[in-house]
C-alpha cells in the first residue's frame, strides 16, 4: 500500500467469544496489509494477542453505561482519533457503535460496523437506540445472506450499504493433523467418554433457544439398541442459565437417558473434543449469528447435523456431508442421527475430506479477513 | 466405463449450432479422463467423406422403411475417438444438411430418420454389435430423444440388460414434435403414448419421450436446469421436467482453450496474456476499429455482439437501445447471421452512425478478432441454455455484459458491490429484467466503471481471464454423474 492509512477499531471487550476474536483477526490482517491499527476496548484475555503483533491498544471502559463514564470515553476517543490521524472507525457491538456514531459526528471520520449478532427485540428505548447505532455505519458488514436480509428488513439498511463477509476458522488450529492423540485421550478422560461409543457433540451456551432439550428428547426417542451405542456430549457455559442446566439434567433423568447424556461446562480444548466426536449437532431453535463452532467441526472433517434456521444452510456443504432438520420436527433430527450412525468408514473419510477442503476454500482465517481489508481499502479510496 | 455418445452433429464436419461444438469437445475430455467413449452418428455424406476406411460390424434388415441398415466402424484422422456410423442410404444419404434439404426445408421423414438412428443406438445395449456393450448411452437433444425409449423397451424384454441412458438437453425450444399419424412407424408400443411418455398435446414429442424415460437428464447449465421447470422457460415440458427433477442435473459446457486462447490465437493481431493484456487489447482494438472502418480511438469503449440475430438472443431490445447507447460516445459492432429480419434495421442504424457502429456477417476467424478487440461483449438473451461467447470473452479479457439467465448466470460473476469490492471475484456485468430500461441501466453501470474506476475495471479483466471453463472440468462432472448417480462401476 502506497499511502499509510490509520484505522481505529472499537470493541466492547476482548475477552472471549467470536465477536472479540473477529476484532483480533481483522486487526492483524489490517496490520499485515500496511494499515496503522489502533484498538480500543474494555480489556480482556485477548489484548495480549494485539500487543504481540505490535498493535496499539487503548484500555477504556467502553462497556459501561454510566453517563459520566460515557461522556469521558467520548472525549478520550476523540483525542485518540485525532492523535492517530484516524481515517476510518470500525465498531462491532451496540456499545462500540454508539461511540462510532458519536465520534464520527464530532470528527467527520466515517465509521463502519460489523453486525454479527441477532439482538433480541427489546422495549427498552435505550437498548433499542444502542442497537440502532450498529445499523448507522457508512457500511454494515454481516456474516451471511440471511443476516443481510435480516438487517435490511429490520433496520431498513439499503442493500448497497451491506457487505457480506462470512465467519472464519483458524484452519491450522482446527486441523485433524494438528490435534495430538494425547490431547484427545486427555479430553476423553475429562469427559469420561467411554471407548467404542458413538459420540454426538453440541457446543454452545446452555440456553433454551439453543435447543439442547431437543437433542435430549431425540436421543430418548431413538431405538434402544441405537441409544445404548451412543453418548451425547453437551458442552457450554451455563453461568447465565444455571437453572436451565438443572432442567436439562432433570429432563434426561425423566426420559431415562441420563447415562447417555453428558452435560459439561466449558472445555479448554475444543479441537480435541470435536476430534472425539462422530457427529456435531447444532440444535438452535432460533436463528443464531455464530456459526463458528460448526465451522470448526467441519474444518476437522466431522459430519454435521444442524437445524435449518438462520444462516445455517449457508455454512453447511451438501446433503452427503451434512443433514439439516426443521427444529419443529423432532423426527427429522432423529432421522439425521440415524443417518450419521450409518456412515461407513469410507464415507466418513470422503465426508471429512470434502468438509475440510470446503472450509479451507471458503471459511479460512488466512483468506476471509482479507475481504474486510478490501472493504477498508474501498472506504479509504484505495480500492 | 463404456459410453456410447449419440449425436447428429459434430464440429467441424456437420455443425449447425452449439450442439456440434459440445459433441466435439466433451467426448474428447471424457476420453482423456479414461472413459471408453465411442460416437454413433448417421452416415450423412458430410460425415462419410471424413473416413478413408470403414469396417462393417452389423446389419439389420427391413426396419424403418429401409431395406438394410449397416453399422460401420472407423476412425477419423486427428480424432482420438472411434466412430460407429449408421448407414441406411434411403434415410441418410441426401444432399442438404442433416435436417433439411438444400433449400432449407426440413425433410418430411425426419421422424423416421431419427427414430431409426435412435433405435440402432439402443441396440448396442444387447451386446451383439461389435461385441461391445456400453454402460451408458448418452443421447443429445430431440434427434436422439427416442434412445431412452428403445432402451427401456429392450430392458423390459431382457432384465439382464444393465445399460443406462442419459439425455442432454441443449436447447428445449427444439423438441421434435410430429402428428400422431407417424406413431405406428416408430415401432414403439402403444402403452408408451401417454402423458407420462411421448404424448404432447395428442402429438408425438421425441424430446418428451427422452425426458420421460431417460435414467438421467442433463442440461447445459445448472440455472437452465432450474429455469426449464418454470412456465416461462419450460416450452410446455415444465410439468414433465418437474416430475423428473430428481434425475435432472445442469452441467456447464466448457471451452476448448487450445482454440480460444489469446496467447496462441493465430487469428488475432497481437497475442497477449494476463501480464500483457493492456497493450495486447489496445493493439487488437485498433486493428478491429480500422478493419471495421469506425473511428480509431483506443480510449472509446468498444462494445461487441457475437450472436445469431434471433429473437432468443435479445436482438429486439438491443436495436431499441442502440441510439441511447451510442449517445455515450461508445462504439458498437454486431457480428451474426440474421434469423429474424433484423438486418435492415441494423443497417439503417449503421448508416446514421458510421464512426460508431458497424455490422458484419459471421466469420469464424473474424469472430476471434472481434472478441480480442472489443472491451465489452454483450449478450442480452431472453434465454441462453449455456452460451459460449461469454466464456471466450472472459479468456480474452473482454468483459461480458449479459442477462442473468441460464449458463450466463452460471458463468459470470456480477460486478456488484459485494463481488467487486469485498470478494474481488467479479468477472462481468449482469442485468435481470428483459427490458430496454434495465439493459441501458446496465450499460451505464459498465461505462461508469470503465471510465471512472480503472483499478476495478482492470481487476475485473484479470479475474475474468483467470476463470477456468475447460472441458476437463465439465467432463469430471459427467463422469461423476455416470459413476455416482447411475451407480455404475468403472
Amino acid at each position: 500500500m502506497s499511502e499509510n492509512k490509520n484505522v481505529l477499531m472499537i470493541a466492547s471487550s476482548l475477552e472471549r467469544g467470536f465477536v472479540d476474536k473477529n476484532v483480533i483477526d481483522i486487526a492483524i490482517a489490517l496490520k499485515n496489509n500496511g494499515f496503522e491499527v489502533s484498538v480500543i476496548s474494555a480489556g480482556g484475555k485477548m489484548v495480549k494477542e494485539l500487543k504481540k503483533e505490535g498493535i496499539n491498544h487503548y484500555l477504556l471502559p467502553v462497556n459501561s453505561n454510566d453517563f459520566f463514564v460515557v461522556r469521558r470515553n467520548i472525549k478520550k476517543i476523540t483525542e485518540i482519533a485525532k492523535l492517530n490521524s484516524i481515517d476510518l472507525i470500525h465498531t462491532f457491538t451496540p456499545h462500540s457503535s454508539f461511540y462510532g456514531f458519536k465520534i464520527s459526528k464530532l470528527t467527520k471520520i466515517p465509521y463502519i460496523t460489523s453486525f454479527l449478532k441477532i439482538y433480541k427485540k427489546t422495549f427498552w428505548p435505550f437498548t433499542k437506540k444502542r442497537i440502532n447505532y450498529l445499523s448507522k455505519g457508512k457500511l454494515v458488514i454481516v456474516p451471511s445472506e440471511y443476516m443481510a436480509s435480516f438487517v435490511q428488513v429490520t433496520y431498513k439498511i439499503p442493500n448497497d450499504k451491506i457487505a457480506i463477509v462470512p465467519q472464519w476458522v483458524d484452519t491450522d488450529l482446527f486441523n485433524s493433523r494438528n490435534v495430538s492423540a494425547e490431547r484427545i485421550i486427555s479430553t476423553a478422560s475429562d469427559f469420561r467418554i467411554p471407548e467404542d461409543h458413538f459420540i454426538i457433540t453440541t457446543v454452545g451456551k446452555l440456553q433454551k433457544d439453543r435447543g439442547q432439550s431437543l437433542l435430549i428428547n431425540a436421543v430418548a426417542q431413538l431405538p434402544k439398541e441405537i441409544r445404548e451405542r451412543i453418548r451425547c456430549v453437551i458442552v457450554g457455559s451455563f453461568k447465565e442459565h444455571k437453572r436451565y442446566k438443572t432442567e436439562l439434567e432433570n429432563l434426561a433423568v425423566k426420559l431415562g437417558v441420563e447415562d447417555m447424556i453428558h452435560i459439561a461446562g466449558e472445555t479448554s480444548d475444543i479441537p480435541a473434543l470435536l476430534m472425539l466426536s462422530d457427529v456435531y449437532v447444532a440444535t438452535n431453535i432460533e436463528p443464531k449469528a455464530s456459526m463458528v463452532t460448526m465451522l470448526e467441526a467441519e474444518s476437522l472433517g466431522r459430519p454435521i447435523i444442524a437445524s435449518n434456521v438462520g444462516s445455517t444452510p449457508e455454512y453447511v456443504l451438501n446433503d452427503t456431508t451434512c443433514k439439516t432438520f426443521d427444529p419443529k420436527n423432532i423426527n427429522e433430527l432423529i432421522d439425521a442421527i440415524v443417518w450419521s450412525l450409518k456412515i461407513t468408514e469410507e464415507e466418513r473419510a470422503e465426508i471429512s475430506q470434502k468438509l475440510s477442503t470446503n472450509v479451507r476454500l471458503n471459511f479460512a482465517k488466512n483468506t476471509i479477513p482479507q475481504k474486510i481489508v478490501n472493504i477498508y481499502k474501498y472506504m479509504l479510496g484505495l480500492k | 466405463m463404456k459410453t456410447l455418445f449419440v449425436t447428429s452433429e459434430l464440429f467441424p464436419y456437420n455443425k449447425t449450432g452449439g450442439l456440434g461444438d459440445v459433441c466435439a469437445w466433451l467426448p474428447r475430455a471424457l476420453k482423456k479422463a479414461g472413459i471408453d467413449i465411442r460416437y454413433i452418428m448417421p452416415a450423412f455424406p458430410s460425415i462419410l467423406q471424413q473416413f478413408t476406411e470403414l469396417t462393417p460390424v452389423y446389419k439389420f434388415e427391413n426396419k424403418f422403411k429401409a431395406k438394410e441398415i449397416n453399422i460401420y466402424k472407423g476412425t477419423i484422422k486427428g480424432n482420438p475417438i472411434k466412430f460407429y456410423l449408421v448407414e441406411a442410404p434411403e434415410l441418410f444419404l441426401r444432399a442438404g444438411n442433416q435436417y433439411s434439404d438444400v433449400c432449407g426445408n426440413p425433410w418430411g421423414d425426419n421422424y423416421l430418420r431419427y427414430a431409426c438412428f435412435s433405435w440402432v443406438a439402443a441396440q448396442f445395449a444387447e451386446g451383439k454389435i461389435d461385441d461391445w456393450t456400453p454402460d451408458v448411452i448418452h443421447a443429445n437433444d430431440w434427434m436422439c430423444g427416442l434412445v431412452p425409449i428403445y432402451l427401456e423397451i429392450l430392458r423390459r424384454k431382457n432384465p439382464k440388460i444393465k445399460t443406462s441412458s442419459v439425455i442432454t438437453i441443449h436447447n428445449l425450444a427444439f423438441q421434435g414434435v410430429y402428428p400422431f399419424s407417424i406413431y405406428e412407424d416408430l415401432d414403439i408400443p402403444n402403452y408408451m403414448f401417454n402423458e407420462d411418455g411421448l404424448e404432447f398435446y395428442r402429438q408425438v414429442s421425441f424430446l418428451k419421450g427422452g425426458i420421460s424415460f431417460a435414467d438421467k437428464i442433463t442440461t447445459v447449465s445448472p440455472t437452465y436446469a432450474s429455469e426449464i421447470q418454470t412456465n416461462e422457460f419450460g416450452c410446455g415440458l415444465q410439468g414433465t421436467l418437474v416430475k423428473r427433477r430428481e434425475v435432472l442435473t445442469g452441467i456447464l459446457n466448457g471451452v476448448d482453450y487450445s482454440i480460444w486462447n489469446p496467447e496462441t490465437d493465430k487469428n488475432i493481431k497481437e497475442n497477449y496474456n494476463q501480464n500483457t493484456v493492456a497493450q495486447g487489447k489496445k493493439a487488437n482494438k485498433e486493428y478491429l476499429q480500422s478493419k471495421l472502418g469506425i473511428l480509431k480511438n483506443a480510449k472509446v469503449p468498444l462494445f461487441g455482439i457475437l450472436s445469431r440475430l434471433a429473437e432468443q438472443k435479445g436482438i429486439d431490445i438491443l436495436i431499441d437501445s442502440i441510439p441511447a447507447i451510442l449517445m455515450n460516445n461508445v462504439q458498437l459492432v454486431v457480428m451474426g447471421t440474421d434469423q429474424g429480419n433484423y438486418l435492415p434495421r441494423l443497417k439503417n442504424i449503421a448508416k446514421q452512425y458510421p464512426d460508431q457502429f458497424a455490422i458484419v456477417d459471421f466469420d469464424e476467424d473474424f469472430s476471434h478478432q472481434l472478441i480480442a478487440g472489443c472491451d465489452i461483449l454483450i449478450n442480452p438473451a431472453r434465454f441462453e441454455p449455456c452460451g459460449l461467447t461469454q466464456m471466450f470473452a472472459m479468456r480474452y479479457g473482454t468483459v461480458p455484459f449479459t442477462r442473468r439467465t441460464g449458463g450466463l448466470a452460471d458463468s459470470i460473476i456480477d460486478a456488484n458491490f459485494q463481488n467487486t469490492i469485498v470478494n474481488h471475484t467479479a468477472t462481468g456485468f449482469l442485468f435481470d429484467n428483459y427490458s430496454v430500461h434495465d439493459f441501458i441501466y446496465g450499460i451505464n453501470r459498465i461505462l461508469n466503471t470503465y471510465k471512472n474506476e480503472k483499478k476495478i475495471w482492470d481487476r475485473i479483466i484479470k479475474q475474468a481471464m483467470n476463470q477456468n471453463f475447460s472441458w476437463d472440468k465439465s467432463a469430471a462432472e459427467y463422469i461423476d454423474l455416470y459413476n455416482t448417480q447411475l451407480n455404475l462401476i468403472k
Side-chain angles (χ1 to χ4, degrees):
Chain A
M1 204 166 60
S2 53
E3 310 145 69
N4 263 358
K5 290 286 180 183
N6 306 309
V7 296
L8 174 65
M9 299 164 76
I10 310 175
S12 296
S13 68
L14 292 174
E15 196 62 60
R16 46 200 289 250
F18 83 100
V19 177
D20 302 355
K21 226 174 153 353
N22 251 261
V23 178
I24 305 287
D25 290 343
I26 296 167
I28 294 171
L30 287 164
K31 173 109 186 14
N32 292 341
N33 276 269
F35 287 84
E36 286 297 326
V37 188
S38 301
V39 179
I40 293 173
S41 82
K45 286 176 196 162
M46 285 195 272
V47 171
K48 60 176 186 255
E49 290 188 36
L50 291 178
K51 295 205 166 149
K52 202 167 73 188
E53 296 290 333
I55 295 167
N56 291 330
H57 177 260
Y58 297 92
L59 190 65
L60 282 182
V62 280
N63 53 356
S64 170
N65 287 330
D66 182 304
F67 172 77
F68 296 103
V69 174
V70 169
R71 208 168 63 173
R72 209 163 46 234
N73 282 343
I74 292 173
K75 201 175 158 202
K76 282 193 177 169
I77 297 172
T78 309
E79 279 168 17
I80 291 169
K82 283 181 180 165
L83 179 74
N84 291 290
S85 310
I86 294 298
D87 300 298
L88 184 67
I89 299 170
H90 187 175
T91 65
F92 296 80
T93 57
H95 268 91
S96 61
S97 298
F98 160 76
Y99 289 112
F101 179 80
K102 291 286 176 196
I103 309 303
S104 181
K105 237 180 163 186
L106 289 169
T107 61
K108 308 287 175 223
I109 301 168
Y111 87 106
I112 60 172
T113 66
S114 279
F115 206 129
L116 299 170
K117 280 187 175 177
I118 293 170
Y119 296 92
K120 281 186 179 162
K121 276 184 187 167
T122 173
F123 294 105
W124 295 105
F126 175 76
T127 317
K128 224 174 178 176
K129 212 170 173 187
R130 283 277 161 109
I131 297 170
N132 270 331
Y133 289 123
L134 259 175
S135 64
K136 293 198 189 311
K138 277 234 169 208
L139 196 93
V140 179
I141 302 168
V142 295
S144 64
E145 296 271 358
Y146 172 82
M147 278 295 282
S149 311
F150 174 78
V151 297
Q152 217 178 333
V153 172
T154 314
Y155 300 98
K156 312 282 179 260
I157 306 173
N159 195 28
D160 58 1
K161 270 182 68 181
I162 300 171
I164 303 168
V165 178
Q167 287 165 20
W168 58 84
V169 172
D170 184 336
T171 48
D172 290 327
L173 195 62
F174 289 89
N175 181 335
S176 53
R177 287 183 199 157
N178 298 341
V179 185
S180 67
E182 289 79 19
R183 282 168 61 192
I184 299 172
I185 292 164
S186 157
T187 307
S189 102
D190 286 353
F191 283 89
R192 287 176 284 114
I193 295 171
E195 277 183 38
D196 301 333
H197 274 67
F198 188 88
I199 312 298
I200 299 171
T201 303
T202 184
V203 179
K205 275 183 190 169
L206 297 193
Q207 56 190 57
K208 275 192 177 151
D209 56 7
R210 294 271 185 177
Q212 287 99 346
S213 62
L214 191 68
L215 181 59
I216 296 172
N217 274 299
V219 169
Q221 287 183 40
L222 287 166
K224 198 181 168 209
E225 64 277 13
I226 292 180
R227 219 163 52 204
E228 284 171 351
R229 280 175 54 204
I230 66 172
R231 284 291 178 277
C232 183
V233 184
I234 300 172
V235 174
S237 162
F238 49 85
K239 280 178 197 157
E240 295 159 37
H241 303 89
K242 278 186 185 157
R243 200 186 291 166
Y244 182 60
K245 185 187 179 236
T246 315
E247 271 177 40
L248 290 177
E249 285 165 344
N250 290 342
L251 177 69
V253 172
K254 190 179 146 197
L255 296 171
V257 290
E258 68 272 27
D259 294 340
M260 289 123 218
I261 306 289
H262 191 106
I263 303 170
E266 293 165 78
T267 171
S268 56
D269 200 345
I270 291 281
L273 174 67
L274 292 171
M275 280 302 288
L276 268 173
S277 315
D278 293 292
V279 63
Y280 179 79
V281 184
T283 49
N284 296 330
I285 291 169
E286 284 170 19
K288 290 281 165 202
S290 173
M291 297 289 136
V292 172
T293 315
M294 195 167 80
L295 282 177
E296 290 167 350
E298 289 184 43
S299 182
L300 290 164
R302 307 293 106 175
I304 304 291
I305 296 173
S307 56
N308 58 5
V309 295
S311 312
T312 306
E314 296 170 55
Y315 282 84
V316 293
L317 187 56
N318 58 38
D319 224 30
T320 58
T321 62
C322 306
K323 289 280 173 219
T324 54
F325 67 93
D326 177 356
K328 288 185 189 130
N329 185 348
I330 194 166
N331 290 328
E332 287 187 15
L333 174 56
I334 294 167
D335 289 347
I337 294 174
V338 172
W339 160 78
S340 69
L341 280 150
K342 286 182 183 164
I343 298 172
T344 64
E345 280 307 309
E346 292 84 43
E347 287 168 344
R348 188 167 286 278
E350 200 179 318
I351 287 172
S352 179
Q353 169 74 27
K354 280 184 183 168
L355 285 172
S356 54
T357 306
N358 181 45
V359 171
R360 269 152 195 73
L361 288 176
N362 301 309
F363 303 103
K365 185 182 151 185
N366 54 9
T367 55
I368 304 299
Q370 183 61 38
K371 295 188 179 201
I372 293 180
V373 174
N374 295 341
I375 293 171
Y376 274 69
K377 286 183 179 171
Y378 168 77
M379 292 301 297
L380 296 169
L382 306 169
K383 295 174 186 175
Chain B
M1 179 188 292
K2 290 179 272 189
T3 300
L4 184 65
F5 201 81
V6 194
T7 177
S8 57
E9 289 190 32
L10 192 64
F11 174 81
Y13 320 119
N14 71 334
K15 168 191 157 176
T16 63
L19 170 67
D21 289 310
V22 177
C23 294
W25 304 116
L26 174 61
R28 282 178 191 238
L30 288 167
K31 169 119 183 138
K32 201 171 123 195
I35 302 286
D36 176 5
I37 189 162
R38 301 181 187 188
Y39 282 118
I40 184 164
M41 293 191 73
F44 296 124
S46 54
I47 296 293
L48 265 178
Q49 67 191 34
Q50 309 302 325
F51 292 85
T52 46
E53 201 181 325
L54 284 166
T55 316
V57 290
Y58 208 81
K59 187 201 280 186
F60 297 101
E61 285 177 354
N62 295 319
K63 293 290 290 181
F64 298 96
K65 298 183 183 173
K67 274 185 197 161
E68 272 186 8
I69 304 170
N70 289 299
I71 304 172
Y72 291 101
K73 189 162 102 173
T75 51
I76 297 178
K77 202 179 165 193
N79 195 322
I81 299 166
K82 284 181 187 153
F83 283 76
Y84 291 109
L85 293 190
V86 181
E87 193 224 25
E90 301 95 317
L91 298 174
F92 303 123
L93 211 57
R94 301 174 184 180
N97 75 16
Q98 58 270 57
Y99 312 121
S100 46
D101 61 23
V102 281
C103 303
N105 301 312
W107 300 109
D109 61 350
N110 269 344
Y111 70 91
L112 200 63
R113 301 167 78 220
Y114 289 107
C116 169
F117 172 52
S118 300
W119 181 83
V120 172
Q123 302 313 305
F124 272 78
E126 287 204 305
K128 289 177 195 164
I129 305 171
D130 200 26
D131 284 332
W132 189 79
T133 316
D135 299 302
V136 178
I137 303 183
H138 190 150
N140 291 281
D141 271 351
W142 73 267
M143 295 73 82
C144 318
L146 298 187
V147 170
I149 295 177
Y150 289 125
L151 180 62
E152 182 62 21
I153 294 168
L154 286 177
R155 289 194 300 204
R156 286 183 190 184
K157 277 186 197 159
N158 180 1
K160 284 183 183 163
I161 292 176
K162 297 293 176 206
T163 302
S164 303
S165 61
V166 173
I167 188 162
T168 297
I169 303 165
H170 297 263
N171 191 339
L172 195 66
F174 304 104
Q175 299 183 4
V177 177
Y178 296 97
F180 179 67
S181 55
I182 61 106
Y183 193 73
E184 62 180 321
D185 293 336
L186 302 181
D187 201 12
I188 294 173
N190 282 339
Y191 67 82
M192 286 180 156
F193 186 78
N194 57 43
E195 64 173 30
D196 290 327
L198 287 134
E199 188 197 340
F200 185 67
Y201 298 103
R202 294 184 191 165
Q203 299 181 91
V204 181
S205 166
F206 278 34
L207 187 61
K208 188 178 173 222
I211 292 169
S212 302
F213 287 96
D215 295 308
K216 196 76 204 169
I217 305 158
T218 71
T219 65
V220 289
S221 69
T223 299
Y224 191 58
S226 308
E227 286 175 344
I228 56 177
Q229 296 177 52
T230 65
N231 291 345
E232 191 184 352
F233 296 97
C235 301
L237 291 180
Q238 58 273 25
T240 309
L241 287 159
V242 168
K243 270 188 203 164
R244 304 231 63 210
R245 65 176 178 271
E246 294 293 318
V247 296
L248 172 63
T249 316
I251 300 176
L252 202 65
N253 282 339
V255 170
D256 183 6
Y257 287 129
S258 66
I259 293 176
W260 291 95
N261 182 352
E263 255 188 300
T264 53
D265 193 335
K266 291 197 173 81
N267 294 307
I268 64 176
K269 177 73 179 165
E270 191 174 310
N271 291 116
Y272 58 93
N273 57 28
Q274 270 193 49
N275 300 325
T276 54
V277 60
Q279 66 198 64
K281 281 203 76 72
K282 185 170 179 271
N284 282 294
K285 184 174 175 177
E286 285 175 350
Y287 176 71
L288 181 65
Q289 284 169 327
S290 56
K291 201 165 169 181
L292 293 168
I294 53 178
L295 203 66
K296 204 167 149 183
N297 183 345
K299 283 185 181 165
V300 174
L302 175 55
F303 289 77
I305 291 179
L306 175 58
S307 158
R308 285 185 287 121
L309 305 181
E311 194 192 359
Q312 179 207 327
K313 301 291 182 182
I315 303 301
D316 47 349
I317 63 165
L318 171 79
I319 291 176
D320 291 345
S321 313
I322 290 175
I325 296 172
L326 296 181
M327 270 170 64
N328 292 299
N329 188 27
V330 303
Q331 294 175 331
L332 176 65
V333 51
V334 177
M335 175 186 280
T337 311
D338 192 8
Q339 294 183 346
N341 205 21
Y342 294 108
L343 213 49
R345 288 169 71 192
L346 286 167
K347 280 185 174 165
N348 261 340
I349 298 170
K351 271 183 209 162
Q352 289 172 49
Y353 302 93
D355 289 340
Q356 286 179 272
F357 183 68
I359 173 151
V360 282
D361 260 348
F362 178 77
D363 175 272
E364 187 76 34
D365 294 349
F366 196 11
S367 69
H368 289 241
Q369 292 159 18
L370 182 138
I371 284 190
C374 286
D375 296 301
I376 302 115
L377 190 86
I378 303 177
N379 183 356
R382 279 173 192 271
F383 70 95
E384 187 64 87
C386 177
L388 289 172
T389 53
Q390 81 280 7
M391 299 192 214
F392 301 152
M394 282 190 256
R395 181 48 64 108
Y396 282 68
T398 303
V399 177
F401 170 49
T402 76
R403 187 158 175 246
R404 196 192 303 272
T405 180
L408 303 171
D410 291 323
S411 55
I412 299 167
I413 301 170
D414 182 43
N416 57 23
F417 175 79
Q418 179 71 27
N419 297 329
T420 312
I421 304 301
V422 184
N423 299 336
H424 288 192
T425 51
T427 59
F429 292 79
L430 296 168
F431 71 102
D432 287 291
N433 298 318
Y434 188 78
S435 71
V436 171
H437 174 271
D438 278 30
F439 181 64
I440 292 176
Y441 180 79
I443 296 275
N444 290 335
R445 267 178 74 205
I446 292 170
L447 290 175
N448 181 45
T449 313
Y450 183 91
K451 289 174 180 169
N452 307 323
E453 308 277 7
K454 176 131 183 28
K455 267 191 179 175
I456 291 177
W457 185 261
D458 290 345
R459 200 158 64 219
I460 293 173
I461 289 178
K462 200 175 163 197
Q463 195 61 31
M465 291 181 85
N466 262 331
Q467 299 302 297
N468 177 10
F469 298 108
S470 76
W471 273 113
D472 294 344
K473 220 171 149 188
S474 312
E477 287 189 55
Y478 275 102
I479 291 169
D480 191 41
L481 177 125
Y482 292 161
N483 277 330
T484 318
Q485 308 204 33
L486 298 173
N487 290 321
L488 290 171
I489 302 158
K490 275 182 192 174

